[in-house]
Amino acid sequence: MTLRLEQLARRVGKETHLYRMDLTLEPGLNVLLGPTLAGKTSLMRLMAGLDRPSEGRVLVDGTDVTSRSVRERSVAMVYQQFINYPSLTVYDNIASPLRLARLPRPEIDRKVREVAGLLHIEHLLGRLPAELSGGQQQRTAIGRALVKEADLLLLDEPLVNLDYKLREELRAELQAIFAQRRAVVVYATTEPLEALVLGGRTVVMGEGRILQTGPTLQVYHHPASTDVARIFSDPPMNMLEGTIADGRVSLGDGIAFPPCAHLAALPAGRYRFGVRANHLGIARRRPGDVEFPAEVALAEVSGSETFVHLLHDGVDLVVQEEGIHSLRLGATMSVFLAPGQLYAFDAAGALAAAPARREG
Amino acid sequence: MARIELRDLAHAYGPRPEREEDYALKRADFAWEDGGAYALLGPSGCGKTTMLNIISGLVRPSEGKVLFDGKDVTGLSPAARNIAQVFQFPVVYDTMSVGENLAFPLKNRGLPRAEIEERVREVAQMLELSPMLHQRAAGLAADAKQKISVGRGLVRSDVAAILFDEPLTVIDPHLKWRLRRNLKEIHARFRRTLVYVTHDQNEALTFADKVVVMHEGQIVQTGTPQELFEEPAHRFVGFFIGSPGMNFLPVEGDEAGLRLEGTDIVLGRELAAQARGRSGRLELGIRPEFLELHEAPVADGLEAALTEVQDLGNFKLATVRLGPHLLKVKLHEDAAVPQARGWLRLPPTRTRLYAGGRLIG
Amino acid sequence: MGKTENNKAWFLVLPVFVIVAFSAIIPLITVVNYAFQDILGPQDRYWVGTEWFKEVLTDDALQEALLRQLVFSTAVLLVEIPLGIVLALGMPARGAGASAALVLMALPLLIPWNVVGTIWQIFARGDIGLAGWFINGPLGLDYNYTADSFDAWITILVMDVWHWTPLVALLCYAGLRAIPDAYYQAASIDGASRWAVFRHIELPKMRGVLLIAVLLRFMDSFTIYTEPFVVTGGGPGNATTFLSIHLAKIAVGQFDLGPAAAISIVYFLIILTLSFVFYNVMIRVGTGSSKS
């Protein structure tokens, strides 16, 4: 099926939760990426038919379903909280949508076992939700959503309440499961890495608006605006004000260099330059790197990497550096920037130039 | 401030523990050095919260002793131990203003008014709470409330340690950075003993100087983030730390070296000597970050089939098949990725050997 | 909320409308009818305007009954709310003791109201009642609720406290159990006294249930009828003639339906107003903003 949202908007009282938007979703995985309160949940509720839009229409394969209730649509949803029927076993929980649909008993049994196998909970079918760990409870809830084989599968930050390692494991499994489905899968998350691991297409949202839509990697490498660049980077993309004039790029406090290929084509003027944390370094990596001074605010070590928080020209910067580095707080040190990795945004915040990428 | 020592500690929630499994916390001997920033890391149910509550005095251990600077405090209440604790969900007193909340522990201890005001002002400034000192605490956002919880521990000059029980759970991702940074600055300035419980390896590694990894009621390794990453003492640490975790390859000791199970491939000649005479399942461990994947044959390279390559923006993650075993390889974002086949190399300095789950070489 | 609308749902609500109409709206309209007319027969009715209201509002007996009622409800709230809180705080939180305490507390609530009256009528009698005998004999006090106004009052009050304090206690108990352990742990770490824990944690967290308890106990005690009717019949003299008993005397005893209807409406408005005041005061008191 194809889900189309036309001129959709939602207001509650005087507050606007979603500004007018158009969106078309095809079968496959669609990631809804945005910070809390970006409107992800509001949008999903409209897609499901749990809420009515204040304006606009929802179309399924060209048919207007805006006023059709959620029970008449083919929808399944998974929430942040682990929502299961507490008095039913895992088996009965997963079977419940099929029983409502009055499927014959042998078919219910076959489908329940198949889904349970997919989610590795076959051995738990006789247990009650209270006897399960958080991960197993969410697997059950996901099982209940999958077994319906609905045309639209909505998942609202399904892994956020799970342990870090469990999240990693389940995320990889879900990606494989979604790949075999014909449904339109919509997966809301706040985490850029989750969007990248899941792949598919990404819809970036911020403050009730859709900011950008496209294949996940394409959006990641070509963020349409500074807002998208910030949202789709962890840590958020570093931003420095600067200009291009007289064949020179200058930014921050006295950082200047001749423009490299992708910046050379830009007209002179004021720009905001963005660079991801992993493209800044505290050691020279390439001969063309530009060096500038910054004050160390904090160094955070994460396994094989160090995140160095620095201050340059009153702006907070984050550098992601391989290896373990202990640095003295308050010290001034050299930071290296690869000009080839700079994004340039115009005065309105729209992308003007992105680094060239080696495809493959 | 104090050095906190756990001696022969064990705890079971049931009344009459008999078997190993009855214990939520198995025998532990451990010392938290004065002024250290520690993280207690492990999955849910590993016993880390139990250990934290034993240190703070909220739980009395079934066996063993807790010593603060050599003094036995096992039977003392949390208040008598001078411990501060920050909980997963922010605890503030709804009836009080932010300032009154911060002053509360000092007022209870009967400090003079002027001194209380002075301390509250200082702590509020550090936590960036000064502008809201007179606001009611009840209506604030989760991160401000959590700062108040931290502040109630910081105002007391006599605290032996501040304990954190997954304090960032309810904080928005983009605020987590800021709050963690606040905590680190506070540690740098006051040098209080901090113990931070979490299941999130990133939080643990970024916060702590020393990370204590727990698994099934036991401490499996204590070390700096670097040590845990490079020299996991236990299979579990290799798996739990790092994303994705360490690759493990089952091997058998052989004349020539270590032979990969189910194949004729011989690996890790350098480690073969250590394997001799060991009982327990032998495994080689290597991190996805350290595995090398080449497009063309290299010395010591093993031919492997590529099953999947994921582009994750900052880096690429390849899955390769070596015999019947799957391995993850983390590649640089610009790295050339071989087509269908590649040559794997396990750098000897980065390859570890485990017997029965424990590091032996 | 702009939930998806479905007109079928209205049919499901219909029975409630019918029931409410028959149980509340129609009787109320009937009462209003009687309050503004003198109805002698189905075809024989005269518009009297506010005459009945003037009559009853200047009636000394009504004013006394109203005052008595206010004093009684105030006393009930002043005793039952604090006592209920104390009982709830004293009840064990878990284990077999908790179940036993819950059953024990629920017991008085299970007894029909007129039976409660009968029990106390006998229990407090000086000749055959255990309490009456005990107060007169071993305690050596002169106690007779059928002859002495004060004794009658105390008896009715104690009976109400016995009957309804468990409700307040159970509500508070539920409120207390909903407080996460972390609050107590944090307080103990902060070195808070038992009083401070009560004042700054337990009391604010019980606000919601206390609001319900106060409203329920106020409305209920303000309309008390069965128990005093059974125990004292409103006496001695008019000492325990509360509003509802007064109303019944006029309506059923003297069959003055017009004045009785007027009293009913005044009665209803008083309860409505006071409940409204209680509700608003309690919502605002304490925390200012009541988000939690």
Side-chain angles (χ1 to χ4, degrees):
Chain A
M1 73 168 233
T2 304
L3 181 72
R4 258 172 71 75
L5 312 178
E6 275 184 6
Q7 293 291 298
L8 207 67
R10 176 155 167 86
R11 289 177 292 275
V12 175
K14 279 186 179 162
E15 259 179 88
T16 302
H17 287 196
L18 293 172
Y19 293 90
R20 209 168 291 160
M21 55 177 68
D22 288 294
L23 184 65
T24 305
L25 299 177
E26 300 287 344
L29 181 65
N30 301 275
V31 179
L32 218 49
L33 175 70
T36 354
L37 297 179
K40 304 189 294 296
T41 304
S42 302
L43 185 58
M44 291 181 113
R45 291 183 63 90
L46 291 184
M47 290 177 182
L50 289 166
D51 289 329
R52 275 242 202 131
S54 316
E55 278 174 43
R57 303 196 299 164
V58 180
L59 304 170
V60 170
D61 288 334
T63 318
D64 188 344
V65 298
T66 318
S67 56
R68 214 176 273 175
S69 85
V70 63
R71 304 162 125 268
E72 298 162 58
R73 298 191 196 181
S74 177
V75 173
M77 194 152 177
V78 178
Y79 302 84
Q80 278 183 24
Q81 296 82 13
F82 316 137
I83 298 176
N84 292 303
Y85 299 108
S87 59
L88 299 184
T89 59
V90 170
Y91 184 98
D92 291 331
N93 259 293
I94 298 178
S96 59
L98 302 178
R99 295 215 167 112
L100 278 175
R102 296 180 196 280
L103 255 66
R105 192 180 280 262
E107 198 178 337
I108 293 182
D109 190 64
R110 185 180 58 75
K111 289 195 171 185
V112 168
R113 290 187 190 282
E114 186 189 313
V115 164
L118 214 56
L119 290 161
H120 309 296
I121 45 175
E122 313 93 311
H123 58 295
L124 304 170
L125 286 174
R127 298 231 204 138
L128 290 172
E131 301 165 331
L132 303 178
S133 71
Q136 294 165 339
Q137 288 184 40
Q138 192 64 323
R139 281 171 191 267
T140 306
I142 294 171
R144 212 174 54 242
L146 287 178
V147 83
K148 261 177 103 171
E149 290 173 8
D151 293 333
L152 178 61
L153 175 57
L154 303 167
L155 302 104
D156 192 359
E157 299 189 44
L159 306 184
V160 76
N161 285 324
L162 293 176
D163 267 18
Y164 189 87
K165 266 287 154 177
L166 267 176
R167 232 181 275 173
E168 202 175 285
E169 193 181 307
L170 207 48
R171 199 186 281 146
E173 286 178 30
L174 283 179
Q175 193 227 7
I177 291 171
F178 295 151
Q180 294 163 10
R181 299 252 146 189
R182 286 295 302 149
V184 175
V185 180
V186 183
Y187 187 111
T189 179
T190 55
E191 290 180 39
L193 182 67
E194 195 152 271
L196 288 164
V197 172
L198 290 168
R201 293 174 66 82
T202 290
V203 177
V204 182
M205 291 191 71
E207 293 173 3
R209 289 174 212 276
I210 290 180
L211 302 175
Q212 191 175 357
T213 313
T216 301
L217 271 178
Q218 167 79 22
V219 176
Y220 179 82
H221 289 303
H222 293 91
S225 65
T226 49
D227 287 335
V228 176
R230 272 209 200 87
I231 293 167
F232 209 163
S233 284
D234 186 35
M237 189 184 272
N238 296 302
M239 295 285 177
L240 283 166
E241 300 293 337
T243 54
I244 297 181
D246 309 327
R248 278 190 87 69
V249 178
S250 39
L251 56 146
D253 182 19
I255 310 171
F257 48 88
C260 47
H262 71 291
L263 296 178
L266 290 175
R270 292 200 63 78
Y271 291 92
R272 174 173 285 186
F273 295 96
V275 60
R276 287 206 162 88
N278 56 316
H279 294 140
L280 285 178
I282 54 174
R284 190 177 291 279
R285 291 174 190 166
R286 279 170 228 209
D289 285 0
V290 180
E291 183 178 348
F292 65 93
E295 191 191 314
V296 181
L298 182 74
E300 291 187 313
V301 177
S302 142
S304 60
E305 296 160 334
T306 308
F307 290 95
V308 191
H309 297 254
L310 301 135
L311 207 64
H312 169 81
D313 194 24
V315 181
D316 285 316
L317 299 177
V318 188
V319 175
Q320 184 179 359
E321 183 69 48
E322 306 256 321
I324 311 284
H325 307 268
S326 48
L327 301 160
R328 203 163 50 81
L329 301 191
T332 300
M333 62 179 303
S334 286
V335 178
F336 296 88
L337 166 83
Q341 300 292 357
L342 273 183
Y343 288 88
F345 299 92
D346 65 17
L351 184 67
R357 288 216 18 108
R358 216 180 102 171
E359 298 306 325
Chain B
M1 277 178 268
R3 177 176 192 269
I4 300 171
E5 208 179 330
L6 309 177
R7 224 176 257 172
D8 277 340
L9 202 71
H11 187 71
Y13 285 101
R16 220 176 286 277
E18 281 166 6
R19 291 162 305 153
E20 273 268 291
E21 302 93 88
D22 295 341
Y23 285 89
L25 192 63
K26 289 162 197 160
R27 201 151 301 276
D29 270 288
F30 193 75
W32 312 82
E33 297 300 335
D34 189 10
Y38 289 92
L40 197 50
L41 174 69
S44 23
C46 74
K48 55 191 194 299
T49 300
T50 304
M51 179 175 286
L52 196 75
N53 287 340
I54 288 175
I55 297 173
S56 64
L58 293 168
V59 169
R60 200 186 161 140
S62 6
E63 293 162 36
K65 280 186 199 164
V66 182
L67 307 174
F68 281 20
D69 279 338
K71 192 174 136 250
D72 188 350
V73 297
T74 319
L76 293 185
S77 72
R81 285 182 193 198
N82 283 328
I83 280 280
Q85 188 162 347
V86 177
F87 298 88
Q88 195 169 3
F89 298 97
V91 174
V92 297
Y93 303 103
D94 290 351
T95 48
M96 305 182 195
S97 68
V98 173
E100 284 164 344
N101 257 284
L102 294 176
F104 190 60
L106 300 180
K107 237 168 82 187
N108 289 329
R109 285 170 176 78
L111 258 69
R113 211 194 154 94
E115 197 179 329
I116 294 180
E117 274 177 21
E118 170 66 33
R119 297 280 308 164
V120 168
R121 200 175 312 123
E122 190 186 352
V123 167
Q125 177 144 30
M126 205 157 47
L127 289 168
E128 294 159 11
L129 288 172
S130 303
M132 45 181 95
L133 267 186
H134 299 290
Q135 274 179 39
R136 279 202 176 277
L140 297 176
D143 62 308
K145 282 188 178 177
Q146 203 58 308
K147 281 196 206 169
I148 295 173
S149 304
V150 177
R152 283 207 312 273
L154 281 177
V155 286
R156 292 163 53 191
S157 51
D158 60 348
V159 284
I162 305 181
L163 312 180
F164 298 87
D165 190 359
E166 311 213 359
L168 301 184
T169 307
V170 293
I171 310 295
D172 260 13
H174 67 282
L175 291 173
K176 281 184 185 179
W177 286 88
R178 299 256 318 257
L179 207 54
R180 207 153 58 200
R181 187 165 159 178
N182 267 162
L183 289 181
K184 288 211 80 161
E185 283 164 357
I186 286 162
H187 182 252
R189 196 157 144 197
F190 287 91
R191 288 280 150 203
R192 294 268 165 81
T193 310
L194 306 180
V195 181
Y196 186 111
V197 163
T198 178
H199 63 81
D200 185 328
Q201 52 148 331
N202 268 328
E203 257 174 45
L205 298 178
T206 48
F207 172 81
D209 303 333
K210 270 239 164 102
V211 180
V212 180
V213 186
M214 284 190 73
H215 178 49
E216 293 176 347
Q218 261 170 330
I219 295 177
V220 288
Q221 188 173 5
T222 306
T224 62
Q226 191 171 6
E227 282 162 1
L228 295 183
F229 190 78
E230 291 175 1
E231 309 267 336
H234 192 278
R235 191 180 198 288
F236 175 78
V237 180
F239 155 78
F240 199 73
I241 297 208
S243 179
M246 202 173 215
N247 295 301
F248 288 98
L249 293 167
V251 290
E252 284 157 359
D254 198 287
E255 292 306 306
L258 299 166
R259 197 165 45 80
L260 184 62
E261 232 176 64
T263 65
D264 296 326
I265 302 166
V266 174
L267 305 152
R269 287 185 182 80
E270 303 78 3
L271 291 164
Q274 266 97 323
R276 239 160 250 143
R278 293 280 178 168
S279 62
R281 187 177 156 86
L282 286 177
E283 282 171 305
L284 281 181
I286 182 151
R287 294 223 170 258
E289 287 84 352
F290 300 144
L291 257 180
E292 292 171 18
L293 183 62
H294 300 271
E295 280 178 299
V298 288
D300 296 331
L302 305 162
E303 194 174 343
L306 245 83
T307 60
E308 196 196 356
V309 179
Q310 268 188 300
D311 190 338
L312 299 179
N314 285 353
F315 61 94
K316 290 189 180 112
L317 192 63
T319 310
V320 298
R321 184 184 293 279
L322 190 62
H325 309 284
L326 287 178
L327 293 138
K328 297 272 183 201
V329 187
K330 215 168 170 176
L331 300 166
H332 193 266
E333 59 174 326
D334 300 325
V337 180
Q339 302 287 322
R341 330 218 106 244
W343 280 263
L344 269 182
R345 202 177 85 87
L346 287 72
T349 54
R350 297 299 198 181
T351 310
R352 304 280 170 261
L353 181 62
Y354 295 83
R358 304 219 158 260
L359 181 71
I360 55 168
Chain C
M1 298 302 281
K3 295 276 159 57
T4 300
E5 280 161 35
N6 188 336
N7 294 327
K8 271 183 248 162
W10 290 107
F11 288 105
L12 301 175
V13 186
L14 203 62
V16 178
F17 275 114
V18 174
I19 291 168
V20 171
F22 274 100
S23 70
I25 298 170
I26 294 175
L28 193 66
I29 292 172
T30 314
V31 170
V32 171
N33 249 332
Y34 274 95
F36 293 95
Q37 299 179 60
D38 194 353
I39 300 180
L40 301 168
Q43 309 303 326
D44 200 5
R45 48 178 73 199
Y46 306 96
W47 178 259
V48 295
T50 55
E51 202 173 304
W52 297 135
F53 286 92
K54 277 180 202 147
E55 187 185 316
V56 298
L57 286 175
T58 51
D59 177 13
D60 287 346
L62 177 88
Q63 288 175 4
E64 279 166 26
L66 176 61
L67 183 68
R68 225 174 271 134
Q69 188 67 69
L70 284 171
V71 173
F72 180 70
S73 287
T74 312
V76 160
L77 290 180
L78 284 181
V79 176
E80 289 182 11
I81 298 295
L83 190 59
I85 294 174
V86 170
L87 281 174
L89 289 173
M91 282 164 72
R94 50 181 74 85
S99 320
L102 284 174
V103 171
L104 219 59
M105 280 287 156
L107 228 44
L109 299 172
L110 299 173
I111 304 173
W113 297 357
N114 54 343
V115 177
V116 170
T118 313
I119 291 174
W120 280 82
Q121 197 211 4
I122 297 168
F123 185 52
R125 268 170 67 163
D127 48 357
I128 55 168
L130 186 63
W133 166 80
F134 183 77
I135 298 169
N136 281 304
L139 280 185
L141 295 171
D142 184 20
Y143 166 82
N144 183 355
Y145 72 87
T146 54
D148 186 284
S149 316
F150 181 73
D151 290 356
W153 253 87
I154 292 296
T155 308
I156 301 284
L157 184 62
V158 170
M159 176 180 66
D160 196 89
V161 167
W162 174 82
H163 193 185
W164 290 113
T165 307
L167 176 75
V168 178
L170 289 178
L171 282 170
C172 292
Y173 185 74
L176 284 173
R177 292 291 81 80
I179 303 174
D181 273 349
Y183 279 85
Y184 292 104
Q185 297 174 348
S188 99
I189 285 165
D190 288 337
S193 60
R194 183 68 191 86
W195 167 250
V197 169
F198 174 70
R199 170 73 190 79
H200 296 296
I201 295 174
E202 291 171 335
L203 198 56
K205 294 279 174 207
M206 277 196 294
R207 258 161 42 88
V209 290
L210 278 178
L211 172 68
I212 293 171
V214 167
L215 282 179
L216 280 181
R217 282 319 299 135
F218 166 71
M219 291 191 279
D220 232 25
S221 66
F222 210 78
T223 54
I224 189 168
Y225 177 79
T226 316
E227 297 99 318
F229 183 77
V230 173
V231 177
T232 63
N238 275 336
T240 55
T241 301
F242 298 120
L243 259 183
S244 56
I245 296 179
H246 176 73
L247 176 63
K249 272 183 187 164
I250 290 175
V252 191
Q254 306 167 6
F255 220 69
D256 286 336
L257 291 185
I263 295 176
S264 296
I265 287 176
V266 172
Y267 201 167
F268 174 66
L269 289 177
I270 292 173
I271 294 178
L272 205 65
T273 316
L274 286 178
S275 298
F276 181 77
V277 169
F278 272 127
Y279 181 78
N280 280 291
V281 168
M282 290 199 55
I283 281 289
R284 261 167 226 151
V285 86
T287 56
S289 74
S290 59
K291 274 190 227 160
S292 59

